[in-house]
Amino acid sequence: MPEAHCTHEVVNQSQPFEDVNLFLTDRPLRAAVERQGTGLDTTSLREFGRIAGSCEAATWARLANDNPPVLRTHDNKGHRLDVTEFHPAYHSLMETSAKAGLTRLNAGPHGYVERSALLYLAIQMEAGHCCPITMTNAALPVLARQGDVGQPWIEKARNAAYDRRFLPMADKTSVTIGMGMTEKQGGTDVRANTTRAVALSGGPGKPYEITGHKWFMSAPMSDAFLVLAQAEGGLTCFMMPRFRPDGSVNGLRFQRLKPKLGNRSNASSEVEFVGAHAWAIGAEGEGTKVIIEMVTATRLDCAVASAGLMRSALAQALHHAANRRAFQKALIDQPLMGHVLADLALDVEAAVALAFRLSSAFDEKENPSQQAWQRLMTPVVKYWACKTAPPFVAEAMECLGGNGYVEDGPMARLYREVPVNSIWEGSGNVMALDVVRVLKREPQTAEVLLSDLRDAAGADSRLRNAAAKLEDLLGNATQAEHRAREITEGLAVLAAGTLLVESAPPAIGESYLASRFGETQRSTYGCDIDPRLTRAILERARSVET
């Protein structure tokens, strides 16, 4: 007897993309790690890739986003609490990434490359929890500037552990560190900050009391925050703990958690400081100079994270297209769908190549060429990867049709997530203007990088023409600011082209040059892809564990 209301069995649907090793199935990632981290032991990456792609991790991600954090400002008797509560799944994500070492840079010649690979995998596991992970790691070099204050915090932050308890630092096994710069009236213009710092015993490493507000205070559950405030000598960087030295709760009054488009598992807050205790990191008036090191590291993470989110969306699209049939063929074998997927794969190749080339530059800061790459290409790669990701994920979602648009799967969450990396740590205009400032103020840096790109272009006329066009743009100083986005995107695409021609399989390099440097005016994916090369591109992109 058939079951009541049963109309048919479920067929022609792909299984959930779970229990997949996200490192072993990602050929571009493995190639980039091998190329930029020569000799790096990938044992930890293989193991973390298994965990990040597991069904259990996918369940944590879903639960953490379905059950966002809650702010508890008071207890039931009216006492201030100012604590943020999370679903257990969020804590599982934090514990997993902290155990893998993501809250601190590994020692060794390829520390940045290795950590970038871990972050690239962690962001595919779940994006929101990576915010405090990124900021904790990025805060460490800033705290090292003021070792008398920062060293105890550095030691706790470097522990490969996660301690969720709301306790003074001395009583915890590990700590996380957040950041607060943005105020209502200033936004990106942090020099417009009105938060005031009064010295109790002024100078670097000395205590201050801070009164004011922050319109965006990231990760309010952190154990301490790097904040900017106006001291007598000007805008200054401070480290503000959640507890005062005497063990009492510090004067941070959280007003609300921000209702955000995406990044929902992570808390972002609005906060008032009421005589909050803090220590100066660096001299008064040098706040921007001090905190920029943290900002630079977070910009690298934004670029890596965007590459990881793009890879995640592509993997979902490829998996669906390989297991879904229409008109007597698998979707992936339909010519036009193959073109679209191959075109998406080329942008993942470019994003991964750029992100890990940039990571290697952070690893070799003493090399002039690498210094130029880090200084100039950090805003370039951050701009390009973060700007490319939103339309990319939209196209990948379309490959799944209605299955991609509904909240039952991960694609809708990915789509909400990707805009944040372009907005946080400097919007697109801020990145483009930073590029122009470097070009104007540090011509020697620009010349080192452009010389490297010219050499890498070799005899290829498409790359050489692109380099010449860039140099023409740069030679017109009066137009540079107006055309800052064009310059920034041009640098990114040119650098990606040289990297892919040099190190990717010929089908990848040639297809990238033909489609990105050709005469076709492109505004969507799937244009100007050579059908003879589509299969080779898709074979490299397909998630096959080897």
Side-chain angles (χ1 to χ4, degrees):
M1 191 75 177
E3 182 182 346
H5 308 298
C6 179
T7 59
H8 61 84
E9 62 179 320
V10 176
V11 296
N12 198 23
Q13 288 279 3
S14 59
Q15 294 297 314
F17 186 68
E18 297 170 355
D19 286 330
V20 175
N21 190 309
L22 297 181
F23 180 73
L24 294 180
T25 58
D26 192 336
R27 292 184 181 94
L29 170 64
R30 287 162 48 204
V33 170
E34 182 178 351
R35 183 172 63 254
Q36 305 296 352
T38 306
L40 181 65
D41 184 355
T42 60
T43 302
S44 62
L45 296 177
R46 292 196 299 271
E47 175 58 19
F48 192 64
R50 180 190 66 79
I51 296 169
S54 68
C55 178
E56 184 177 29
T59 301
W60 292 338
R62 176 179 59 80
L63 289 173
N65 282 274
D66 287 349
N67 300 274
V70 175
L71 176 64
R72 301 295 183 194
T73 57
H74 296 78
D75 68 12
N76 63 349
K77 301 298 182 182
H79 303 110
R80 294 290 314 199
L81 287 177
D82 296 289
V83 297
T84 309
E85 297 177 349
F86 293 83
H87 189 274
Y90 174 88
H91 295 302
S92 296
L93 291 162
M94 287 292 295
E95 183 177 6
T96 300
S97 288
K99 185 178 179 180
L102 271 158
T103 54
R104 82 286 191 269
L105 187 68
N106 293 331
H110 305 301
Y112 276 96
V113 169
E114 182 177 14
R115 188 183 170 280
S116 289
L118 289 168
L119 178 66
Y120 176 95
L121 297 169
I123 203 81
Q124 296 181 63
M125 178 169 63
E126 198 285 318
H129 87 289
C130 292
C131 175
I133 292 289
T134 280
M135 287 189 296
T136 300
N137 173 71
L140 301 187
V142 178
L143 294 178
R145 285 173 167 260
Q146 202 67 54
D148 51 338
V149 171
Q151 194 56 40
W153 292 87
I154 292 172
E155 291 173 5
K156 290 287 177 76
R158 288 185 59 82
N159 284 347
Y162 171 62
D163 190 339
R164 71 177 78 173
R165 297 175 298 168
F166 184 59
L167 293 171
M169 180 268 289
D171 298 328
K172 299 190 67 170
T173 57
S174 65
V175 296
T176 57
I177 299 167
M179 178 171 63
M181 294 195 295
T182 307
E183 297 187 2
K184 297 182 183 74
Q185 71 287 343
T188 298
D189 184 7
V190 295
R191 294 189 181 278
N193 285 3
T194 60
T195 296
R196 308 300 302 181
V198 177
L200 301 179
S201 175
K206 300 301 182 182
Y208 288 70
E209 278 194 350
I210 296 183
T211 301
H213 79 285
K214 295 297 172 186
W215 183 232
F216 272 93
M217 181 87 145
S218 297
M221 60 289 187
S222 299
D223 298 288
F225 304 88
L226 291 180
V227 303
L228 295 178
Q230 299 286 358
E232 185 177 354
L235 193 66
T236 305
C237 180
F238 296 91
M239 193 194 75
M240 182 184 293
R242 287 303 314 271
F243 290 85
R244 299 178 187 274
D246 64 5
S248 62
V249 178
N250 205 1
L252 288 80
R253 303 290 182 256
F254 291 103
Q255 305 301 300
R256 61 169 177 156
L257 300 185
K258 296 290 192 178
K260 296 172 293 184
L261 167 68
N263 204 250
R264 293 179 180 177
S265 71
N266 173 49
S268 301
S269 65
E270 191 175 331
V271 65
E272 299 287 337
F273 303 140
V274 183
H277 180 91
W279 292 282
I281 305 297
E284 289 187 5
E286 295 188 353
T288 304
K289 178 182 176 182
V290 170
I291 210 167
I292 196 64
E293 193 165 6
M294 182 180 189
V295 172
T296 299
T298 58
R299 287 175 178 176
L300 170 63
D301 276 14
C302 284
V304 172
S306 290
L309 292 170
M310 290 165 64
R311 168 61 193 181
S312 184
L314 175 65
Q316 294 284 345
L318 287 166
H319 176 72
H320 177 83
N323 291 280
R324 175 84 163 178
R325 296 183 65 82
F327 310 109
Q328 292 77 53
K329 283 185 180 180
L331 285 179
I332 200 168
D333 294 327
Q334 302 284 355
L336 197 52
M337 177 64 82
H339 285 350
V340 170
L341 291 169
D343 207 0
L344 290 168
L346 292 177
D347 268 351
V348 170
E349 294 272 3
V352 170
L354 286 169
F356 283 88
R357 173 65 182 85
L358 181 60
S359 298
S360 72
F362 277 73
D363 276 323
E364 299 181 47
K365 294 180 180 178
E366 304 307 314
N367 182 315
S369 177
Q370 299 285 50
Q371 286 178 351
W373 247 88
Q374 180 185 341
R375 181 66 189 98
L376 188 52
M377 293 302 287
T378 296
V380 167
V381 178
K382 199 269 189 187
Y383 175 95
W384 184 85
C386 298
K387 282 289 183 190
T388 300
F392 180 102
V393 175
E395 189 72 60
M397 180 191 294
E398 188 176 325
C399 294
L400 278 73
N403 284 327
Y405 193 71
V406 297
E407 295 285 354
D408 295 332
M411 290 297 287
R413 186 172 71 241
L414 280 174
Y415 185 63
R416 289 195 305 271
E417 187 66 39
V418 284
V420 73
N421 287 324
S422 187
I423 295 170
W424 282 0
E425 312 307 340
S427 65
N429 281 352
V430 172
M431 294 298 95
L433 292 173
D434 191 19
V435 170
V436 171
R437 277 192 292 271
V438 175
L439 293 170
K440 287 181 177 180
R441 298 177 185 177
E442 304 174 32
Q444 70 284 359
T445 297
E447 180 51 39
V448 168
L449 178 67
L450 290 170
S451 177
D452 285 350
L453 291 176
R454 282 194 298 268
D455 291 344
D460 190 282
S461 60
R462 294 162 296 189
L463 292 173
R464 295 189 70 83
N465 289 340
K469 179 182 176 182
L470 267 175
E471 291 192 68
D472 287 342
L473 286 173
L474 298 175
N476 188 340
T478 59
Q479 291 294 315
E481 183 170 327
H482 297 288
R483 305 185 74 174
R485 284 188 171 221
E486 188 176 347
I487 291 168
T488 303
E489 183 171 345
L491 283 167
V493 177
L494 174 59
T498 62
L499 288 169
L500 295 179
V501 167
E502 176 187 4
S503 57
I508 303 296
E510 175 54 33
S511 295
Y512 190 82
L513 295 192
S515 56
R516 273 59 177 175
F517 297 89
E519 296 181 359
T520 301
Q521 295 296 312
R522 293 164 45 90
S523 60
T524 59
Y525 284 97
C527 302
D528 217 16
I529 301 297
D530 189 337
R532 295 169 298 179
L533 302 178
T534 299
R535 183 55 51 190
I537 299 170
L538 293 177
E539 283 302 314
R540 178 170 159 92
R542 288 283 300 278
S543 301
V544 179
E545 192 165 323
T546 57

